[in-house]
Amino acid sequence: MTAVSRGVFVTLEGGEGAGKSTQIAAIARLASAVGREVVTCREPGGTLLGERLRAALFATAEGETPPAPAAELLVFTAARAQLVAEVIRPALDRGALVICDRFGDSTLAYQHYGRGLELPMVEAANRAATQGLVPDLTLLLDLAPEDGFQRGQRGLDYLEREDMEFHRRVRRGFLNLAAAEPERWLVLDATTPEMQITHTAWERIRGLLGT
Ligand code: TMP
């Protein structure tokens, strides 16, 4: 994050069904209780344009032609560009704690490691979207894809319908990204009891908030 922002930016990453939403809700409650403004958001989405792009992407039904990998990349990053400009930057400038369900690391894990799009292209799209904004902390809720799908109760969208090998590449991608930048990432075993995960995450976030 650039030095001018007063807020703290935390992102959650991981495969399907790893429990990101539960953790975001729990951390937001804890941060609100210590009097901090908390802004939560999800990707893709979090703005009118972003939610429309999300709906368009995930309207892809079984049997329909799925988005081409490059189109998928540009839709996810377009939604991110809007979210950064409209929600995340202003909130950080106000001094808020921003907790985002997925961010640029999802694009690296899914579109580069998963789809196989070239790294420089994915990085360039991410840079355009984030304008250089990097999370202060990224929590990885690591889970074997087989377990994630057992936990998930929704109907599967076109990305979730990808084969297990795709989801294994995504998982390995997240773990590679975390290993490359250990000071930014906190890897958490998503099979650990929820309260324990919240406790470990909150200890780190408290340090960043200075409470
Ligand atoms: P979720 O709301 O269940 O996390 O679904 C978002 C889906 O979109 C999930 O399958 C991951 C995928 N995704 C990407 O492939 N690239 C991205 O940049 C983002 C933000 C999400």
Side-chain angles (χ1 to χ4, degrees):
M1 203 172 81
T2 56
V4 288
S5 284
R6 291 178 295 127
V8 171
F9 184 29
V10 176
T11 57
L12 275 84
E13 297 285 2
E16 324 292 332
K20 290 185 281 93
S21 321
T22 309
Q23 290 303 326
I24 289 172
I27 295 163
R29 272 196 301 276
L30 289 167
S32 299
V34 297
R36 191 71 175 222
E37 183 197 352
V38 184
V39 173
T40 61
C41 46
R42 70 163 179 177
E43 281 217 8
T47 64
L48 193 54
L49 177 63
E51 292 295 334
R52 285 175 174 158
L53 290 171
R54 180 188 183 97
L57 204 53
F58 291 110
T60 311
E62 213 160 352
E64 288 180 356
T65 307
E72 188 181 78
L73 168 71
L74 294 170
V75 173
F76 281 121
T77 49
R80 178 165 314 128
Q82 188 67 27
L83 185 66
V84 168
E86 190 180 320
V87 176
I88 300 179
R89 262 292 174 204
L92 291 174
D93 289 344
R94 289 196 305 274
L97 167 66
V98 178
I99 313 173
C100 197
D101 186 341
R102 300 192 181 280
F103 198 62
D105 296 302
S106 272
T107 314
L108 290 166
Y110 282 83
Q111 278 65 56
H112 169 58
Y113 287 97
R115 293 281 187 233
L117 289 176
E118 286 174 20
L119 185 60
M121 186 171 76
V122 176
E123 286 178 336
N126 257 348
R127 266 199 311 279
T130 61
Q131 301 282 301
L133 179 68
V134 177
D136 296 294
L137 173 68
T138 299
L139 307 175
L140 173 59
L141 293 180
D142 179 51
L143 187 67
E146 293 79 359
D147 294 346
F149 286 106
Q150 276 167 19
R151 286 181 172 199
Q153 280 151 24
R154 305 161 293 163
L156 299 185
D157 62 47
Y158 83 96
L159 263 163
E160 292 166 334
R161 287 195 297 271
E162 287 291 334
D163 59 25
M164 276 298 157
E165 199 35 58
F166 173 86
H167 292 288
R168 285 192 200 104
R169 287 198 299 278
V170 170
R171 182 192 192 191
R172 281 197 296 273
F174 278 128
L175 289 170
N176 283 350
L177 292 167
E181 261 186 288
E183 65 294 341
R184 173 164 70 90
W185 289 76
L186 178 60
V187 181
L188 299 159
D189 176 351
T191 63
T192 307
E194 273 167 25
M195 278 174 63
Q196 206 174 313
I197 295 178
T198 308
H199 178 76
T200 309
W202 178 240
E203 284 304 304
R204 272 292 282 274
I205 294 168
R206 266 178 61 180
L208 292 171
L209 294 173
T211 54

